Every structure is written in structure tokens, then in C-alpha cells.
């Protein structure tokens, strides 16, 4: 079991996403050195067309992450009053730029923009977020080019926790395009990190507790604070909590997940904290996808699992 799994007597082990993300960043930094030795410097472009403060913060964090591992970062910021065509023109420029290996469209975009059209505008070979329809289709058909970063990070957390994914009964709560659907397809792929038996639950699912109660692994990505309680869970289960919800106001404001953490930790075998669980892995896997893209373009085989 990975050193990133914190053992606790009488309570669930903690799957430390910050520690696993640090391992991934170290692996990426080594891969960057391999690429640089061959004359290749990976490049990631972030595109922001929004006044959302959280998005601005997230972009800055990605730029810092790139600097830490040696990836060149470029930020494109477009005024929210600009026409959609200006966004598309800038995406086209990045598609044509050989120095850019990955393009990330920071969402949400301003309301005047057709967001799906913007995602489709990105060259699928630079779509390191994995949301272009071509890349979605490749994942579904078992030939992934880029896997969306959050599902890829969740898979890595499960592997670090020594979860035997093949044959496991995995219940995913939430069917979003960002997490639920791609994660289900990822865990269905053949191989060490797949071959799971996957159930996807959602707002129309009858008797959610019965599905959760029989699972070996529960992944909750519903965006509902403490939706999953300890009464739904059984001993031996591994819980991945993707939710991050701000509750309370002023000095009482805190971030909580989609799982009632303290009570669940008395029941299950292992659980991710909020914050510090899945979030850091999403950022780390973006870096990983970027160096994979650079290596693929340069026809370089990385010593990189």
C-alpha cells in the first residue's frame, strides 16, 4: 500500500490526495527531463473567458503547477464582452502553435458563449482535458487518447489504496460529463485499472442506499452536501468523495464533501478527505496528460507508467 494512505486504528484509512498528487508531479517532472533531453519542452495553454473568481484562482494554480514540473505555460484571457468568434480565433491559434501540446478551456465560460462548440474547437490531439467528442468516443470504445483528469485521478487513488479494481462492484453516484460518465467508462476498460462491475446512480435512481450498500467502492460526485451517510455504507467499502461544497457563512464557512465524512470514517475501510482528496489529483493529472501529449507528438516513448 502506498505511503500516501494514512493508517488509523479503529477508523477508516485516509487516502491522501495531496500526497499521491505529489508523487504524480514527481513522475511528471522526471518525464519532462526525458523530453528536454530530446529537445522537447512541453507546453500547456489555459484559456479563460469568465469573471468567475474561482476560475481565476484555478488557472493561477495550474500555472504554478506547470512551473513546478518544468512545463511551459501560456495563459490566454479574453474579455467577457468579446464576441464568441474571438475565443474561437484564439483557440485556432493555439491549435496551430507547435509550442503548445495541451489546451485547457477553463469552465464555466461566459454565458454568451456556446461552451460545447468551444470544446469542439480544440484540436483533439491537444485536448488534455479529454472532453472533445472524439476523445470521449475513444474512451467509450476502449481506445483512449486522453482520459478526463478527475476520473484518471480517481483511478490512481484506488490503485494507490491497493483496491483490486477488476471484479470490484463500483457504484458511482452522479452521471456528469466531467466525472460520472467518463469514470464509468474508464473503470470498464480491460486491465489492471479496469474490469470493474460499474453501476451509475443519479437523481432518478430508486433506493440509492441499496446500491451503495452492496458496493466495494463508492464514488460520490453528485454536488449535494453529505448526500451519502454512514447508514448507507458497509464495512470494507472504499469511498472516494469528489464533492466540494461550501456551507455556512463568515467564520462558520467550511468545505464539506458529498459524504458525511466523520460518521462514514467510523464504518468504511478507506476514504478521501475534503479538501485534500480528489481535487489535487485533478490538477496533477492535467500535467500528466500534457507531457503524454508532448511525447506522443514528438514520437518519444516515456519511461512513465
Amino acid at each position: 500500500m502506498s505511503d500516501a494512505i494514512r493508517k488509523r486504528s479503529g477508523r477508516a484509512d485516509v487516502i491522501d490526495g495531496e500526497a499521491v498528487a505529489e508523487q504524480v508531479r514527481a513522475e511528471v517532472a522526471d518525464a519532462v527531463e526525458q523530453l528536454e533531453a530530446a529537445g522537447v519542452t512541453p507546453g500547456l495553454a489555459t484559456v479563460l473567458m469568465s469573471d468567475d473568481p474561482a476560475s481565476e484562482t484555478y488557472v493561477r494554480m495550474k500555472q504554478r503547477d506547470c512551473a513546478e514540473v518544468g512545463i511551459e505555460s501560456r495563459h490566454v484571457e479574453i474579455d467577457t464582452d468579446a464576441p464568441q468568434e474571438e475565443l474561437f480565433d484564439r483557440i485556432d491559434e493555439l491549435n496551430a502553435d507547435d509550442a503548445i501540446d495541451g489546451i485547457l478551456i477553463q469552465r464555466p465560460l461566459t454565458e454568451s458563449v456556446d461552451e460545447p462548440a468551444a470544446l469542439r474547437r480544440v484540436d483533439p490531439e491537444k485536448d488534455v482535458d479529454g472532453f472533445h467528442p472524439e476523445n470521449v468516443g475513444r474512451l467509450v470504445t476502449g481506445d483512449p487518447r486522453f482520459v478526463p483528469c478527475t476520473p484518471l485521478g480517481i483511478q490512481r487513488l484506488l490503485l494507490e489504496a491497493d483496491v483490486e479494481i477488476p471484479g470490484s462492484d463500483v457504484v458511482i453516484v452522479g452521471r456528469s460529463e466531467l466525472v460520472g460518465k467518463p469514470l464509468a467508462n474508464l473503470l470498464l476498460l480491460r486491465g489492471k485499472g479496469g474490469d470493474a462491475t460499474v453501476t451509475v446512480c443519479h437523481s432518478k435512481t430508486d433506493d440509492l442506499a441499496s446500491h451503495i450498500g452492496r458496493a466495494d467502492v463508492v464514488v460520490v460526485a453528485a454536488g449535494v452536501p453529505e448526500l451519502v451517510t454512514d447508514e448507507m455504507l458497509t464495512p470494507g467499502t472504499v469511498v472516494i468523495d469528489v464533492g466540494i461544497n461550501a456551507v455556512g457563512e463568515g467564520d462558520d464557512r467550511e468545505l464539506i464533501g458529498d459524504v458525511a465524512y466523520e460518521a462514514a470514517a467510523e464504518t468504511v475501510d478507506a476514504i478521501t478527505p475534503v479538501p485534500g482528496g480528489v481535487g489535487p489529483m485533478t490538477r496533477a493529472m492535467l500535467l500528466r496528460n500534457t507531457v503524454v501529449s508532448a511525447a506522443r507528438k514528438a514520437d518519444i516513448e516515456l519511461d512513465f507508467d
Side-chain angles (χ1 to χ4, degrees), residues 280-303:
M281 293 300 298
T282 299
R283 289 163 46 204
M285 290 305 182
L286 175 66
L287 304 175
R288 186 187 191 283
N289 279 351
T290 301
V291 297
V292 167
S293 177
R296 185 180 291 133
K297 185 174 72 176
D299 197 22
I300 295 171
E301 186 173 346
L302 294 174
D303 181 16

Side-chain angles (χ1 to χ4, degrees), residues 80-264:
T80 55
D81 294 330
Q84 176 173 275
E85 289 69 25
E86 182 173 336
L87 169 64
F88 289 178
D89 287 346
R90 299 303 297 274
I91 293 172
D92 290 345
E93 291 170 6
L94 295 171
N95 285 338
D97 191 333
D98 286 340
I100 298 300
D101 301 292
I103 301 171
L104 181 136
I105 308 297
Q106 182 62 46
R107 296 188 282 173
L109 293 167
T110 189
E111 291 182 358
S112 61
V113 170
D114 182 342
E115 194 168 277
L119 297 179
R120 291 194 299 270
R121 195 81 176 199
V122 175
D123 182 343
E125 295 189 354
K126 295 187 178 187
D127 168 40
V128 289
D129 233 5
F131 294 129
H132 189 285
E134 181 178 315
N135 289 325
V136 172
R138 290 186 62 150
L139 175 60
V140 170
T141 56
D143 183 29
R145 177 190 281 127
F146 296 115
V147 175
C149 302
T150 299
L152 193 60
I154 291 169
Q155 183 190 54
R156 176 65 180 264
L157 290 174
L158 293 173
L159 293 171
E160 291 290 333
D162 284 345
V163 173
E164 190 67 24
I165 298 175
S168 287
D169 193 339
V170 179
V171 170
I172 301 170
V173 183
R175 55 179 169 180
S176 72
E177 308 294 335
L178 278 70
V179 182
K181 290 179 182 177
L183 179 62
N185 285 300
L186 177 62
L187 297 182
L188 286 170
L189 295 180
R190 298 180 186 274
K192 178 183 177 183
D195 284 322
T197 300
V198 181
T199 301
V200 179
C201 298
H202 46 79
S203 60
K204 303 300 182 183
T205 298
D206 287 331
D207 196 4
L208 177 63
S210 69
H211 293 282
I212 291 174
R214 63 173 168 72
D216 301 306
V217 176
V218 177
V219 181
V220 191
V224 179
E226 298 186 341
L227 171 68
V228 174
T229 63
D230 60 308
E231 291 89 352
M232 300 178 179
L233 298 160
T234 54
T237 306
V238 173
V239 176
I240 305 293
D241 190 350
V242 185
I244 185 161
N245 309 284
V247 298
E249 296 182 1
D251 293 340
D252 295 326
R253 185 178 175 83
E254 61 177 334
L255 296 177
I256 64 173
D258 289 356
V259 178
Y261 178 86
E262 293 298 335

Side-chain angles (χ1 to χ4, degrees), residues 29-105:
D30 288 344
V32 170
E33 289 185 2
Q34 294 177 55
L35 291 170
E36 289 183 336
V40 175
T41 300
L44 173 67
T46 53
V47 180
L48 178 68
M49 190 176 182
S50 169
D51 291 328
D52 177 40
S55 293
E56 294 172 354
T57 298
Y58 199 39
V59 165
R60 287 195 297 271
M61 293 166 70
K62 290 170 182 173
Q63 292 172 318
R64 186 183 66 216
D65 291 343
C66 285
E68 180 181 333
V69 300
I71 294 173
E72 290 289 331
S73 65
R74 185 184 306 174
H75 181 52
V76 175
E77 191 161 341
I78 300 168
D79 193 274
T80 55
D81 294 330
Q84 176 173 275
E85 289 69 25
E86 182 173 336
L87 169 64
F88 289 178
D89 287 346
R90 299 303 297 274
I91 293 172
D92 290 345
E93 291 170 6
L94 295 171
N95 285 338
D97 191 333
D98 286 340
I100 298 300
D101 301 292
I103 301 171
L104 181 136
I105 308 297

